[in-house]
Amino acid sequence: MSSLNQKSLLEVRDLLQAGEVTAVEAATACLQRIDATDATLKAFLHVDREAALSQAKELDQAGPDPDKPLWGVPIAIKDVLTVDGMPATCASKILEGFTPFYEATCVTGLKDAGAVILGKLNMDEFAMGSSTENSAYQTTRNPRNTERVPGGSSGGSAASVASGQVFAALGTDTGGSIRQPASFCGCVGVKPTYGRVSRYGLIAYGSSLDQAGPLTRTVADSAVLLSAMAGHDPKDSTSANEPTEDYLAATLDRKDLKGVKLGLPKEFWGQGVDPEVEAALLRAVNTAKDLGAELVEVSLPHTEYAVSTYYIIAMAEASSNLARLDGVRYGHRDKDAQELIDMYVKSRTQGFGEEVQRRIMLGTYVLSAGYYDAYYRKAAQARRLIRQDYLDALDKCDLICGAVSPVVAWKMDELIGDPLKMYLMDIFTSPLNLAGLPGMSLPVGIDSAHSMPVGLQFMAKPFHEADMLGAAHALEQAIGPMAPVEPV
Amino acid sequence: MTQYETVIGLEVHAQLNTESKLFCPCSTSFGQEPNTNVCEVCSGMPGVLPVLNRTAVEYAAKMAMAVDCVVNEHSVFARKNYFYPDLPKGYQISQYELPLAEHGHLDIEVKGETKRIGITRIHMEDDAGKSIHSASDNASYVDLNRTGTPLIEIVSEPDMRGPEEAVAYLRELHAILVNLGICDGNMEQGSFRCDANVSIRPFGQEEFGTRAELKNMNSFRNVQRALEYEIERQKDLVEDGDKVVQETRLYDADKNATFSMRGKEEAHDYRYFPDPDLIPIKLDPAWLEDWRKELPESPQARKQRFLDQYGLPEDDALILALDRALAQYYEAAVSAHNEPKMIANWMLSELLRELNQSGISVSECKLTPEALAELVRIIDEGLISGKIGKQIFPELFTQGGSAEAYVKDKGLVQISDTSALDAAVDEVLAENPDEVAAYKGGNKKVVGFFMGQIMKKTQGQANPKLVNEILAKKLNT
């Protein structure tokens, strides 16, 4: 790995702005790193070498621009987000060959800030999964241990950042899909408040839950990206008309945790978490205390209903969101079908993987006449209670913290045959999406049993991303950030 | 023999004539090349999101207020899920549990009696595209130009008791929509579509019979005929001891019959749920107040005013008041020349005939209301005769411009110059001594002959009143 690849985004950005590294050099370093590692990692579905280098060349010709906080920084994008002119498959056969002519607003935000887009990253098909094993194309490896999964669904993003292929990647988080792979691979992953970042151009899984966010190696790096992505978008009615902040300045300002009340939900601690994981988390919490944080116990009493509530709502929305993939206008169509229903059934059966089909069927079921009240309506009610739990807890503290995942990255194939067990792994992440609040994963150490990274989750009040990033940054400074690794 | 009562409820879909579609900036214009008024949003590409058209909400709310609905300050869009190639998202964005407006009513007149028809709800939704099935190459084509056009669905209570009431309700609803200027009302192009739920029950029975839903009736006349057919069909079934099946039936205008489209076993489960891509519609009461103030006079109120203010006969007032553009034309003409009855007569006879023949609307008409008023005025003033007026009307209608200038230019002005007329009368009398003698002998009828000769000599332009006076003077001295 070249020394450039080991640098943080903030460091490389400063070198680019100072003219000590050109945009082409930065892009080339990343492309070389991808060439060297991706045969093993399989993080990328699509590397757009030509587009990246020509974009970098254009930047170099114009020269560094201090108004562009991501000038020349190579970044890669999860394949669920549309980039104008690049394929967007969502790791699904049904979208094989589909190239959008429009672009996710958050991607345009990064481009406007000067970022160079290298390509598209692997994921669980349509963001459905927690291990990236549900990709129709390839299985991404965890760079810390290639026999283990990188987490999911943004597994390609986490693996790419953690292995030094790119300085940052975008992921999306519907029930933990940024935070959990960040935790599994040992990088920082931020899920903003629902509505903080436009969903326009994000191929929807659960529309009321989805948020795009950054995965980076440091907290400050995520803050830079969030500033370029956040804000109201007239093309997304659910995007919030709340003012944004200079997230980087707010993050770097925070040197300690004096005056910060950290809420530890009793439902997140002491039960259901692997003891090695909990030990690593407790060490981090104690460090936070040393930095001045006050620890308080809080309660999230409806946590036990979160996973079932989450899956009912996410699958219901997915069953409808994925209906447009019908083989009529774009994507896979069975060539031999003789009539309409036959064409729908064959195209969709061939195009969607097993997990996606399972979720479409379950989602269809919970919305059906006679079942809607028992499932969807009940889940919508439970969702309001869960959100209220979080808001009540956040009245008693500034940030909630706990595990991201009850376990470290598991081995390939270990859980893929037991979908229900895999669903239950979302216990600490999915309620936050139901509540619509911001959360993030900070790598706080390596568990002694498996030598795999452990992520601590911070959760904050709506639109209080700056508080969360600042506290995580202070703790990161005390613990030390994770360095990129060679895949082993 | 059992007497049956008919029960009809109507669902009307009206296209709102906004410039752009309900959830994207594409144009709603009709008759474009297939798939040209289309973008990534209305064609259902992956990752796109809908953004609500504010004007469509305003239009829908105005219709709701015009039929005395309660407009909900909080309403919600829901997805209606089903698969069809002309439905690119795989769902229609509609409203379900919380519609825009509810609890309205409309008064109709049938056989001189007023009846109140309840309106259950009015909700907003986006239209689907069009499927075109081609027999020549055994293929189906999809045109998405119409996809996403804003619609309102107006659902009535099952309050109508026969086809006449149903048609009266539809005509009234149609007039209100067009009067508001929010729908062009074109039934052939599908801007105003209607489905009917029809059932029969023995007189006196409380509960409703099993209903059939009729579709594909694209004119008022077809609605009437389809309903008549369906009622007879249901009566025959019941009389024969059979049962009416709950189903959707299509009306075939050529055969004048209804045919089963799909049975209940194929009925869709639309899996409605709130659309997570759209936030609830929140209507500020101040906006509603503003919109209410902007509501135009209703056709019914206008008709009453025409009766009171202009003293028009009932039928004339109704025709002129129902269509807002025609009413505006009428009132502009009356304000230019205050002869309300004369102007009404000219409009109802000459103008409407020309409009019908040329197939254009009154707003496209070249003859301005001021020019029509001028025509009536110059007839009143004796500049031309009414007969000449009728003769030149088609010309004025197609060309436009001032009536007075036209008749002067064409030399059609009546000769009212007494000296000129004196000469003409003298000539005619001199040329026809026998008839003069006959007159003097007591045959007063020859006056008509003299008049004819004088008109001939003056190419019909002699002022007949003056000619009569001069003739009387000369013959009786």
Side-chain angles (χ1 to χ4, degrees), chain A residues 43-372:
Chain A
F44 274 85
L45 286 173
H46 175 76
V47 179
D48 203 333
R49 202 171 296 271
E50 274 179 37
L53 287 173
S54 85
Q55 200 192 338
K57 214 171 275 175
E58 270 177 41
L59 288 175
D60 283 336
Q61 275 160 8
D65 183 347
D67 291 335
K68 292 187 170 177
L70 290 168
W71 190 90
V73 176
I75 284 171
I77 310 291
K78 185 181 183 182
D79 206 31
V80 74
L81 292 161
T82 50
V83 180
D84 188 359
M86 279 190 196
T89 67
C90 292
S92 178
K93 290 284 178 197
I94 208 158
L95 276 174
E96 192 162 17
F98 176 73
T99 301
F101 51 88
Y102 48 90
E103 187 162 88
T105 302
C106 63
V107 171
T108 305
L110 298 187
K111 281 185 177 173
D112 290 346
V116 173
I117 309 298
L118 295 184
K120 305 298 292 292
L121 293 160
N122 198 26
M123 55 188 280
D124 284 299
E125 184 177 358
F126 286 105
M128 297 177 181
S130 309
S131 66
T132 314
E133 290 166 294
N134 290 331
S135 167
Y137 298 100
Q138 61 197 26
T139 308
T140 301
R141 307 284 163 151
N142 191 317
R144 312 249 167 204
N145 179 342
T146 52
E147 287 172 10
R148 290 182 179 264
V149 299
S153 64
S154 309
S157 306
S160 188
V161 168
S163 64
Q165 290 181 338
V166 290
F167 298 98
L170 291 193
T172 58
D173 191 315
T174 307
S177 280
I178 289 174
R179 290 160 286 156
Q180 186 256 24
S183 165
F184 277 19
C185 292
C187 55
V188 174
V190 176
K191 180 207 103 67
T193 312
Y194 184 79
R196 176 72 299 171
V197 173
S198 169
R199 290 187 301 114
Y200 188 85
L202 188 174
I203 300 176
Y205 161 27
S207 311
S208 72
L209 304 156
D210 295 338
Q211 267 291 288
L215 291 97
T216 57
R217 290 194 288 272
T218 73
V219 177
D221 291 356
S222 275
V224 180
L225 257 72
L226 185 60
S227 290
M229 299 165 72
H232 178 250
D233 178 9
K235 289 201 269 188
D236 175 4
S237 319
T238 65
S239 77
N241 226 333
E242 291 279 330
T244 60
E245 296 173 56
D246 182 343
Y247 294 106
L248 179 62
T251 300
L252 295 177
D253 276 355
R254 192 92 222 186
K255 309 289 185 210
D256 56 37
L257 292 171
K258 287 192 185 107
V260 176
K261 266 191 202 171
L262 285 185
L264 308 185
K266 60 179 188 211
E267 293 80 4
F268 278 41
W269 294 86
Q271 55 200 348
V273 182
D274 182 287
E276 297 294 338
V277 170
E278 187 154 271
L281 294 174
L282 278 173
R283 283 196 295 276
V285 169
N286 280 324
T287 307
K289 203 175 164 189
D290 294 343
L291 289 167
E294 181 192 343
L295 305 182
V296 293
E297 190 188 83
V298 293
S299 176
L300 302 167
H302 295 94
T303 299
E304 61 174 309
Y305 304 110
V307 171
S308 42
T309 301
Y310 164 74
Y311 275 98
I312 288 169
I313 288 174
M315 290 176 185
E317 292 179 1
S319 71
S320 175
N321 285 334
L322 299 186
R324 64 187 59 196
L325 299 151
D326 56 5
V328 173
R329 285 145 295 127
Y330 51 82
H332 175 73
R333 182 199 289 191
D334 179 80
K335 299 288 179 289
D336 303 321
Q338 289 302 305
E339 48 89 40
L340 185 62
I341 302 295
D342 193 35
M343 183 187 88
Y344 283 147
V345 171
K346 283 184 173 152
S347 303
R348 286 168 64 84
T349 305
Q350 293 157 8
F352 288 129
E354 194 187 340
E355 182 60 28
V356 177
Q357 290 188 29
R358 176 170 22 248
R359 294 193 192 195
I360 290 172
M361 283 190 277
L362 287 168
T364 303
Y365 176 80
V366 300
L367 290 175
S368 300
Y371 298 98
Y372 182 89

Side-chain angles (χ1 to χ4, degrees), chain A residues 144-145 148 274-277 406-411 414 446-454:
Chain A
R144 312 249 167 204
N145 179 342
R148 290 182 179 264
D274 182 287
E276 297 294 338
V277 170
V407 295
V408 294
W410 52 83
K411 288 184 175 159
E414 196 179 325
I446 301 292
D447 89 313
S448 47
H450 312 93
S451 299
M452 292 303 289
V454 173

Side-chain angles (χ1 to χ4, degrees), chain A residues 361-443:
Chain A
M361 283 190 277
L362 287 168
T364 303
Y365 176 80
V366 300
L367 290 175
S368 300
Y371 298 98
Y372 182 89
D373 287 341
Y375 292 101
Y376 184 84
R377 197 187 301 280
K378 202 52 109 196
Q381 288 162 351
R383 179 181 193 166
R384 283 193 286 278
L385 296 175
I386 289 165
R387 176 171 164 89
Q388 201 53 52
D389 279 358
Y390 276 78
L391 295 177
D392 290 347
L394 286 162
D395 275 344
K396 301 185 180 78
C397 63
D398 300 303
L399 297 166
I400 298 173
C401 68
V404 173
S405 165
V407 295
V408 294
W410 52 83
K411 288 184 175 159
M412 320 278 314
D413 300 326
E414 196 179 325
L415 289 184
I416 197 72
D418 190 348
L420 196 59
K421 198 167 175 191
M422 186 121 61
Y423 295 171
L424 289 170
M425 294 297 178
D426 297 340
I427 177 73
F428 300 131
T429 46
S430 58
L432 196 78
N433 300 75
L434 291 169
L437 303 182
M440 65 179 290
S441 177
L442 175 74

Side-chain angles (χ1 to χ4, degrees), chain B residues 266-337:
Chain B
E266 287 170 67
H268 283 117
D269 178 356
Y270 290 121
R271 292 172 283 123
Y272 283 100
F273 75 106
D275 191 332
D277 288 338
L278 289 158
I279 49 177
I281 306 177
K282 290 236 158 75
L283 288 176
D284 187 329
W287 299 350
L288 289 177
E289 236 4 83
D290 287 348
W291 294 341
R292 193 181 291 279
K293 281 181 203 142
E294 288 167 23
L295 289 182
E297 185 179 32
S298 76
Q300 284 304 337
R302 190 157 51 224
K303 180 193 132 192
Q304 194 54 49
R305 187 166 61 78
F306 282 11
L307 290 174
D308 300 342
Q309 188 175 339
Y310 302 122
L312 298 180
E314 179 96 17
D315 288 351
D316 293 3
L318 183 66
I319 297 172
L320 291 175
L322 208 56
D323 180 330
R324 180 156 66 138
L326 203 62
Q328 281 170 344
Y329 190 102
Y330 173 68
E331 297 210 272
V334 171
S335 77
H337 181 60

Side-chain angles (χ1 to χ4, degrees), chain B residues 1-21:
Chain B
M1 210 176 89
T2 320
Q3 291 289 306
Y4 292 98
E5 182 181 43
T6 306
V7 175
I8 301 170
L10 295 171
E11 291 170 16
V12 168
H13 285 90
Q15 269 184 9
L16 301 178
N17 58 4
T18 50
E19 291 285 312
S20 56
K21 293 185 178 180

